[in-house]
Amino acid sequence: IQVAGANSRQVRIGIDSAVTGSGGAVTIDGELLSPPYAVVAIGDPPTLAAALNIPGGVIDTVARAGGTLTVEQATQVRVTALRVPRTAQYARPVGR
């Protein structure tokens, strides 16, 4: 998943990503993004669209907060933001 803001900043989401802030001031992993936001996700387009449309889910939550969300399904997407791997705090890879 990649999230981009209107300020041309983009962030690749990882398992340890942190999303903080409030409306109009969203920070992901310390990177301030300005609205509108564009989210690109890799996966089966109909499955991802259905997941966003679950009652009480993402689209409903955004609408209740006064926002709008548009879902576009594509057969091909490009995730260009890179994510530097962090050093594991507890686990260590074993040699091959």
Side-chain angles (χ1 to χ4, degrees), residues 39-88:
V39 178
V40 176
I42 298 171
D44 180 59
T47 302
L48 293 173
L52 292 172
N53 279 299
I54 292 172
V58 175
I59 291 177
D60 283 349
T61 301
V62 169
R64 280 194 309 274
T68 58
L69 185 124
T70 304
V71 177
E72 296 178 15
Q73 296 183 41
T75 56
Q76 187 175 36
V77 296
R78 181 175 291 178
V79 174
T80 57
L82 299 177
R83 184 170 182 81
V84 177
R86 295 190 177 147
T87 302

Side-chain angles (χ1 to χ4, degrees), residues 15-16 84-93:
I15 60 169
D16 57 349
V84 177
R86 295 190 177 147
T87 302
Q89 184 176 355
Y90 301 105
R92 299 281 184 248

